[in-house]
């Protein structure tokens, strides 16, 4: 009897917290700016595209690895969709004016759609999407993907700089220090992902121009682990800071937790980057 009573009493606070978390998630939509809600919707569509192509892969089959695979339509749809949703959410904690926010998120969303669309088109054509100069159309698509990558870099670096500004127009004065720390650490890591992505593209293009297209896919793949681990910090760390607000921790304690986790994440990322860089340099 006593055991069942204790369990029911313990379940009530857990259920209450679950409801609070669910309510907080809904608030991001109901209380979000129009451009943020639009970004959430577009991100959801991109993720749905990734899941759809996972079903296509299950039916059609074929290789999962390699430059010609349904994997690219799947992973890029899911990754770009999740990243767009993440950036729209995280940017709500960044000091930006309304016009700057609308432009940055609008350009970022459009670029995400373009990148996923081009990669998906190439997947259906059964040809590589990157480093493919076989035909005029393939060359155009490959170059558009590279230009799109450059646009992503400009937008995300701009947001990173804004994340380190205080007192700018559009700043949210009630953003907790723990969240600001998480956002800043996440953007710094994301800049590392941008650097590795740029390095992959530059090395791949150089290999293609010297007539080694297959080598381009091999050397670019060496940096994928470093690219992945640094890219997802922008979601993991702010999500941690947000979830900590549903605990009884004081803000000072939440800051310490975020700082420790950020440091641990950074240490793990350094190891992955080091291994990937060695493989990249010797490939």
């Amino acid at each position: 009897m006593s055991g069942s009573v204790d369990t029911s009493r313990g379940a009530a606070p857990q259920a209450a917290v679950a409801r609070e978390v669910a309510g907080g998630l809904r608030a991001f939509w109901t209380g979000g700016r129009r451009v943020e809600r639009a970004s959430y919707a577009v991100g959801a569509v991109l993720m749905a595209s990734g899941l759809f192509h996972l079903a296509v892969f299950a039916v059609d089959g074929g290789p999962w690895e390699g430059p010609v695979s349904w994997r690219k339509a799947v992973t890029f749809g899911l990754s770009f969709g999740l990243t767009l949703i993440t950036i729209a959410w995280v940017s709500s904690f960044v000091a930006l004016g309304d016009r700057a926010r609308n432009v940055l998120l609008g350009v970022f969303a459009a670029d995400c759609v373009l990148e996923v669309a081009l990669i998906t088109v190439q997947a259906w054509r059964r040809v590589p999407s990157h480093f493919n100069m076989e035909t005029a159309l393939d060359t155009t698509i490959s170059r558009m993907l590279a230009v799109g990558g450059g646009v992503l870099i400009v937008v995300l670096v701009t947001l990173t700089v804004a994340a380190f500004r205080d007192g700018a127009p559009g700043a949210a004065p009630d953003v907790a220090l723990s969240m600001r720390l998480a956002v800043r650490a996440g953007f710094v890591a994301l800049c590392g992902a941008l650097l590795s992505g740029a390095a992959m593209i530059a090395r791949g293009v150089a290999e293609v121009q010297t007539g080694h297209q297959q080598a381009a896919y091999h050397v670019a793949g060496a940096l994928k682990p470093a690219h992945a681990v640094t890219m997802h910090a922008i979601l993991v760390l702010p999500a941690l800071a947000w979830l900590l607000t549903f605990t009884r921790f004081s803000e000072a304690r939440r800051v310490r937790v975020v700082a420790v986790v950020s440091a641990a994440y950074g240490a793990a990322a350094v190891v992955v980057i080091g291994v990937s860089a060695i493989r990249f340099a010797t490939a």
Side-chain angles (χ1 to χ4, degrees):
M1 291 290 292
S2 60
S4 61
V5 172
D6 291 341
T7 300
S8 64
R9 289 179 178 176
Q14 294 175 3
V17 170
R19 287 194 296 271
E20 289 180 8
V21 171
L25 290 173
R26 286 193 298 271
F28 292 135
W29 175 266
T30 58
R33 301 172 179 87
R34 180 179 299 177
V35 68
E36 292 165 359
R37 293 197 301 270
S39 297
Y40 296 152
V42 173
V45 171
L46 294 180
M47 294 186 71
S49 173
L51 293 175
F52 169 77
H53 285 92
L54 182 61
V56 171
F57 169 73
V59 174
D60 187 60
W64 180 252
E65 298 295 335
V68 181
S69 168
W70 290 116
R71 170 188 55 83
K72 301 195 75 173
V74 173
T75 57
F76 276 80
L78 293 174
S79 180
F80 271 89
L82 180 60
T83 299
L84 174 56
I85 292 171
T86 300
I87 294 301
W89 172 59
V90 170
S91 68
S92 68
F93 303 108
V94 175
L96 288 169
D98 289 340
R99 180 177 298 179
R101 189 183 307 277
N102 290 339
V103 170
L104 289 172
L105 287 183
V107 170
F108 190 76
D111 202 23
C112 287
V113 171
L114 178 64
E115 293 279 308
V116 173
L118 293 175
I119 288 165
T120 302
V121 165
Q122 294 298 73
W124 280 96
R125 294 181 65 227
R126 303 298 180 93
V127 296
S129 55
H130 294 81
F131 315 132
N132 185 358
M133 310 295 180
E134 293 296 323
T135 68
L137 177 59
D138 293 327
T139 300
T140 299
I141 290 177
S142 183
R143 289 176 177 172
M144 288 179 68
L145 287 170
V147 171
V151 172
L152 293 176
I153 290 174
V154 171
V155 172
L156 293 175
V157 168
T158 301
L159 288 173
T160 301
V161 173
F164 282 86
R165 294 170 57 203
D166 290 319
D174 57 340
V175 175
L177 180 58
S178 55
M179 178 59 79
R180 291 187 181 184
L181 175 60
V183 169
R184 290 171 178 177
F187 270 120
V188 169
L190 186 58
C191 286
L194 298 178
L195 288 174
S196 61
M200 286 190 287
I201 293 174
R203 180 78 179 275
V205 170
E207 293 289 348
V208 170
Q209 290 179 343
T210 57
H212 302 94
Q213 184 168 348
Q214 291 302 316
Y217 303 118
H218 176 68
V219 297
L223 280 181
K224 284 184 179 179
H227 185 67
V229 72
T230 49
M231 183 172 63
H232 294 299
I234 191 61
L235 171 60
V236 173
L237 299 179
L240 170 65
W242 178 70
L243 288 172
L244 285 173
T245 63
F246 298 97
T247 69
R248 295 182 179 180
F249 290 180
S250 65
E251 173 59 12
R253 189 174 182 182
R254 292 199 293 266
V255 170
R256 289 196 296 270
V257 171
V258 171
V260 169
V261 174
S262 298
Y265 196 109
V270 167
V271 173
V272 175
I273 291 170
V275 173
S276 298
I278 292 173
R279 292 177 177 175
F280 184 72
T282 58

